[in-house]
């Protein structure tokens, strides 16, 4: 096991945080995610877009009343990739 076993898509602390939150929650809405990670709208949108492009998260956009609502959840591929990433980290740490 070496450093090259780590998934580059999870190098960012924002993406690492998003995936960690989504691994233990079914759906998390934009405002809740933004608050938990303490990031700006643009920063969250940028990182969520990258994770969606990699097919690690699903993004749901809907209207609640007249207000738009964006929510996220981890995909099966995302769970597998993140679990592999965490396993690689543990092996590097000797755990």
């Amino acid at each position: 096991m070496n450093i090259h076993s780590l998934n580059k898509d999870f190098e960012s602390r924002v993406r690492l945080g998003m995936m960690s939150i989504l691994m233990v929650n079914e759906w998390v809405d934009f405002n809740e995610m933004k608050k938990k990670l303490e990031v700006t709208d643009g920063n969250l949108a940028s990182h969520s877009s990258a994770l969606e492009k990699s097919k690690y998260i699903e993004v749901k956009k809907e209207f609640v009343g007249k207000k738009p609502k964006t929510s996220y959840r981890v995909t099966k591929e995302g769970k597998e990739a993140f679990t592999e990433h965490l396993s690689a980290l543990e092996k590097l740490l000797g755990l």
Side-chain angles (χ1 to χ4, degrees), residues 16-34:
L16 188 65
M18 285 184 73
M19 291 300 293
S20 298
I21 291 167
L22 294 174
M23 290 291 283
V24 296
N25 292 282
E26 182 67 24
W27 284 96
V28 178
D29 74 37
F30 183 91
N31 289 327
E32 183 181 352
M33 184 72 76
K34 185 175 103 167

Side-chain angles (χ1 to χ4, degrees), residues 34-82:
K34 185 175 103 167
K35 184 177 177 183
K36 285 182 186 229
L37 296 174
E38 298 179 358
V39 294
T40 63
D41 288 8
N43 202 348
L44 180 56
S46 171
H47 287 290
S48 63
S49 178
L51 289 172
E52 182 183 26
K53 185 177 178 184
S54 296
K55 301 198 184 317
Y56 292 151
I57 66 168
E58 177 183 346
V59 179
K60 176 173 66 173
K61 296 184 183 236
E62 60 188 337
F63 281 92
V64 177
K66 293 185 178 187
K67 292 185 176 186
K69 180 180 177 184
T70 301
S71 300
Y72 309 104
R73 81 169 166 185
V74 69
T75 62
K76 181 178 180 254
E77 295 90 344
K79 284 181 184 179
E80 290 170 0
F82 195 66

